[in-house]
Amino acid sequence: MKKFKMPSAFTILFIIIIIVAVLTWIIPAGAYDYAGESSGTPEPIPGTYREIEKNTQGIWEILQAPISGFFDAVDIILFILVIGGFLAVVADTGAIDAGIGSIVRKFSGRETLMIPILMLLFGLGGTIFGMSEETIAFYVLIIPIFIAAGFDTVTGAAVVFIGAGIGCLGSTVNPFATGIASGFAGISIGEGIVLRLAILVLTMAISIVFVMRYAKRVKANPELSIVADMRADNEAHFLAHGEDGSYENGDIEKETAAGAVASSNAESNKMSGRQKAILAVFGICFFIMILGVIPWADKFGIYIFEDISAFLADIPVLGTVLGKIVPLGEWWFSDITVLFLFGSLVCAFIWRWNETKFTELFVDGARDLLGVALIIGVTRGITVVMNDGGMTATILHLGEESLKSLGASAFIGLSYLFFILLSFLVPSSSGLAALSMPIMAPIADFVGVGRDLVVTAYATASGIVNLITPTSGVLMGALAIARIPYGTFLKWILKLVAVLFVLILAVLCVAAAIS
């Protein structure tokens, strides 16, 4: 009998499209009146639901749905592809690897102090650009350092994995989680950033304390390590500079070999002036993005960026040459895409690539995220079928009738739990955002909860599940490299996850109550 193999995310999503299309033949079609359509974020008006004639979806509509989904999400998809190109350009310079390698060298001999510093660095990567797969390169560099300092493989792996994982959990501007979710919720990435930053700070502080307490116990008494029985083998394996070379997974072995080269380069070479310049461009681009998506004028009455744009436009000749620059605070995905395309060109100029080399790097980076773009298009196809079949309004009406008696705190708490359950079924954070936000965001309007709070509930739920789910390639890869059994790791980290779960739930409920 063949062993059951979980179908790919694309297959699961296409099956959902078929199921939804079938349901359009069964579920009554409906419609709402909407307010604020000119603003780009139309909100259904409570009490205006009405049944309409069914528009059943057939085979043609099923096949056409993903295509229509691409058209509907083209701004988000282009944004993702350009971000992929930008990250590939930066990664090829080795600037990020060299930067972290420089930190490791500076704190050699003070490994305990290195724990919070590295966790914060990886956390910044997670919260800013969703650093996850990129961390694979650092396990082979950091784990031996912590073992040599008297810790264990769990400490080294936790510094990287939990650090980046908490960053993704508190995704302030992570384009692959918060960005996509905000886009499908019809709001700016910057909305809700203060709350997400608060969650990031709180969860990171707790996680650092958790890892440091464990590390100190292990250093004082190695028998308290959760992998104490593997201590001698791990020391021989990691401190012999990988002469053994065997890992539990062939694919991980290849990734580790590539990572070892990158990490050893980062460790042995000091950062060059050009690498520092690349890191500066990298940081400036994300800083400008944050400024661009926070609604300064609309939410806070701060008009300085409008004034700057008007001033530049009024300068003779220069204003015409620069063009009509959208003021910071009013940016949407097209504007952020322009920013990162320009940042890529600046990096190419600093690194002195020729046109051919730069184009190859940028296209390869975009190609790496083509899977994410396809997931978004296919997932959006589900919404297309629901909208065309009149199901969306009917589901919203069901949500309005069943949830209107709930308070804001109860609704956001249930939403958080719903996103956690859905995260296990849809492990792709991008797919989850595209699938859930078109429904959950309008339902929040009925309850009087801000859409940004729903986005935050989604991001934190997805992040907390990714710390433990066995469907995460990053987690299983990290455990394979660190030689930590999944069951052992799960038992250890569940204590931290339980605390984070309760904390985030409390913060979300309080935020909903006072909003």
Side-chain angles (χ1 to χ4, degrees):
M1 185 176 178
K2 279 189 174 183
K3 187 178 179 181
F4 173 76
K5 184 179 179 181
M6 189 73 175
S8 70
F10 293 101
T11 302
I12 293 172
L13 292 170
F14 202 78
I15 290 172
I16 293 175
I17 290 177
I18 295 172
I19 292 172
V20 170
V22 171
L23 289 175
T24 63
W25 293 70
I26 303 169
I27 297 175
Y32 269 99
D33 292 333
Y34 284 82
E37 294 190 46
S38 60
S39 67
T41 312
E43 297 181 4
I45 301 173
T48 62
Y49 173 80
R50 61 194 178 278
E51 285 194 16
I52 59 174
E53 184 179 350
K54 281 186 179 181
N55 182 26
T56 54
Q57 303 291 287
I59 294 175
W60 180 259
E61 287 80 12
I62 290 172
L63 295 174
Q64 195 178 51
I67 311 302
S68 300
F70 270 92
F71 282 107
D72 282 1
V74 66
D75 52 349
I76 299 174
I77 289 172
L78 283 175
F79 168 62
I80 293 298
L81 294 177
V82 171
I83 279 279
F86 174 76
L87 293 177
V89 167
V90 172
D92 193 75
T93 67
I96 294 176
D97 288 353
I100 294 178
S102 177
I103 296 293
V104 170
R105 287 195 307 275
K106 286 180 181 178
F107 287 90
S108 178
R110 294 174 287 172
E111 283 76 12
T112 302
L113 186 58
M114 197 188 299
I115 292 174
I117 292 173
L118 287 179
M119 287 185 71
L120 286 171
L121 283 175
F122 286 116
L124 283 174
T127 195
I128 292 173
F129 66 98
M131 189 178 195
S132 185
E133 288 87 354
E134 298 86 351
T135 60
I136 291 293
F138 297 101
Y139 289 97
V140 291
L141 167 64
I142 290 171
I143 290 174
I145 291 173
F146 278 100
I147 291 178
F151 300 105
D152 63 355
T153 58
V154 177
T155 305
V159 164
V160 183
F161 178 73
I162 296 180
I166 294 299
C168 291
L169 181 153
S171 292
T172 50
V173 291
N174 175 2
F176 308 110
T178 304
I180 294 173
S182 297
F184 284 113
I187 61 173
S188 167
I189 304 174
E191 293 191 44
I193 192 172
V194 175
L195 178 62
R196 291 192 292 273
L197 183 59
I199 290 174
L200 175 64
V201 171
L202 289 172
T203 54
M204 182 62 76
I206 291 171
S207 300
I208 288 173
V209 170
F210 177 79
V211 175
M212 289 190 72
R213 286 183 62 187
Y214 172 79
K216 288 179 180 178
R217 286 200 306 269
V218 169
K219 189 164 187 177
N221 184 0
E223 293 304 315
L224 295 178
S225 168
I226 62 172
V227 290
D229 58 322
M230 301 173 64
R231 181 184 172 196
D233 286 344
N234 284 336
E235 287 180 352
H237 179 85
F238 287 103
L239 299 184
H241 303 290
E243 291 175 358
D244 161 321
S246 61
Y247 291 90
E248 295 177 20
N249 183 299
D251 293 334
I252 294 302
E253 184 178 350
K254 293 175 186 176
E255 290 187 52
T256 304
V261 173
S263 298
S264 62
N265 288 341
E267 186 179 23
S268 59
N269 301 325
K270 290 184 178 180
M271 286 185 68
S272 67
R274 285 192 292 169
Q275 284 179 322
K276 291 178 180 177
I278 294 290
L279 278 182
V281 172
F282 180 83
I284 289 170
C285 281
F286 278 100
F287 179 69
I288 292 175
M289 183 187 83
I290 293 170
L291 292 179
V293 299
I294 294 176
W296 301 105
D298 290 345
K299 296 286 185 181
F300 307 108
I302 298 173
Y303 295 94
I304 184 173
F305 297 115
E306 275 78 0
D307 295 339
I308 292 173
S309 293
F311 172 76
L312 291 174
D314 289 340
I315 298 176
V317 183
L318 179 63
T320 305
V321 171
L322 289 176
K324 298 176 182 178
I325 300 175
V326 178
L328 296 177
E330 297 180 12
W331 282 19
W332 191 243
F333 285 98
S334 59
D335 307 295
I336 307 172
T337 303
V338 170
L339 169 67
F340 285 105
L341 179 60
F342 179 70
S344 302
L345 294 172
V346 173
C347 288
F349 176 77
I350 294 172
W351 208 251
R352 299 171 191 168
W353 282 308
N354 59 37
E355 179 270 340
T356 302
K357 175 66 175 176
F358 167 72
T359 304
E360 287 177 354
L361 280 173
F362 190 87
V363 171
D364 285 345
R367 185 184 297 119
D368 287 341
L369 290 182
L370 185 59
V372 175
L374 290 170
I375 282 283
I376 292 171
V378 175
T379 310
R380 185 63 176 172
I382 298 171
T383 307
V384 169
V385 172
M386 291 177 63
N387 288 343
D388 291 349
M391 273 182 62
T392 302
T394 302
I395 292 174
L396 291 180
H397 178 61
L398 178 63
E400 179 186 5
E401 292 299 307
S402 59
L403 299 175
K404 64 183 179 182
S405 60
L406 289 179
S409 295
F411 169 75
I412 205 64
L414 288 174
S415 298
Y416 177 57
L417 296 175
F418 169 73
F419 284 128
I420 285 178
L421 293 174
L422 205 57
S423 293
F424 283 105
L425 299 175
V426 185
S428 165
S429 59
S430 305
L432 176 61
L435 176 65
S436 60
M437 282 303 141
I439 293 295
M440 294 301 294
I443 289 178
D445 296 336
F446 292 128
V447 187
V449 171
R451 294 188 175 196
D452 59 297
L453 200 53
V454 177
V455 170
T456 301
Y458 144 80
T460 52
S462 175
I464 208 166
V465 169
N466 283 333
L467 290 175
I468 58 174
T469 178
T471 60
S472 167
V474 175
L475 170 58
M476 302 312 288
L479 295 182
I481 294 170
R483 297 156 61 100
I484 304 169
Y486 173 70
T488 302
F489 175 81
L490 184 62
K491 184 178 178 181
W492 175 73
I493 200 174
L494 274 178
K495 300 171 187 176
L496 172 64
V497 170
V499 173
L500 297 181
F501 169 81
V502 174
L503 172 67
I504 293 168
L505 182 60
V507 171
L508 288 172
C509 290
V510 170
I514 63 178
S515 61

